[in-house]
Amino acid sequence: QVRVVESGGGLVQAGGSLTLSCAASGSILRINAMGWYRQAPGKQRELVVDITNSGRTNYVDSVKGRFTISRDNAKNTVYLQMNGLKPEDTAVYYCNAEIVSSWYDGQYFVPTTRDYWGQGTQVTVSS
């Protein structure tokens, strides 16, 4: 069973830093992309940044220059280095991964692409 688990959230003062980690595990054939989303109280979930197989990254404008995504393919892990944190960064941060794994269709095991979500980790930035 494929699982995605994130960690590293916490409470930090404005201007501080945090590093989030997200690890995918299970019967993984390929990870097409991994990324970070966040959801603040009263707001919809938004993409923070993602990274594709080719290494292309896409950041939301509000975090450009402050957040950096990186990955360790050998560990199926992606990180989010967050610097210069602001109170408006306060949210639950979720890891998302598009993963190809083997699924049984009743006759054969076939590669199947699915999105997987982590449980979320709280990031709180105080003024």
Side-chain angles (χ1 to χ4, degrees):
Q1 181 178 348
V2 175
R3 296 182 64 196
V4 175
V5 179
E6 67 267 75
S7 62
L11 175 64
V12 65
Q13 293 184 351
S17 299
L18 284 173
T19 300
L20 307 183
S21 299
C22 173
S25 63
S27 300
I28 297 171
L29 298 178
R30 182 174 68 252
I31 299 178
N32 292 333
M34 298 184 75
W36 292 96
Y37 291 71
R38 66 185 180 186
Q39 187 166 20
K43 296 184 178 180
Q44 292 187 300
R45 189 173 300 185
E46 67 171 346
L47 173 68
V48 179
V49 60
D50 61 10
I51 184 167
T52 66
N53 285 342
S54 65
R56 180 183 61 82
T57 58
N58 181 37
Y59 294 86
V60 66
D61 286 343
S62 61
V63 309
K64 289 181 178 178
R66 299 188 297 121
F67 291 9
T68 303
I69 192 171
S70 62
R71 64 183 181 184
D72 184 338
N73 291 333
K75 297 181 179 180
N76 291 326
T77 299
V78 66
Y79 305 92
L80 183 65
Q81 177 66 49
M82 303 185 294
N83 298 323
L85 284 163
K86 304 175 180 179
E88 51 263 44
D89 294 319
T90 296
V92 177
Y93 284 70
Y94 297 91
C95 181
N96 179 75
E98 183 180 289
I99 295 173
V100 181
S101 61
S102 292
W103 284 59
Y104 186 62
D105 68 357
Q107 187 173 12
Y108 307 105
F109 286 96
V110 298
T112 303
T113 304
R114 301 284 294 274
D115 283 336
Y116 296 86
W117 290 91
Q119 80 285 356
T121 185
Q122 177 71 48
V123 172
T124 302
V125 184
S126 63
S127 300

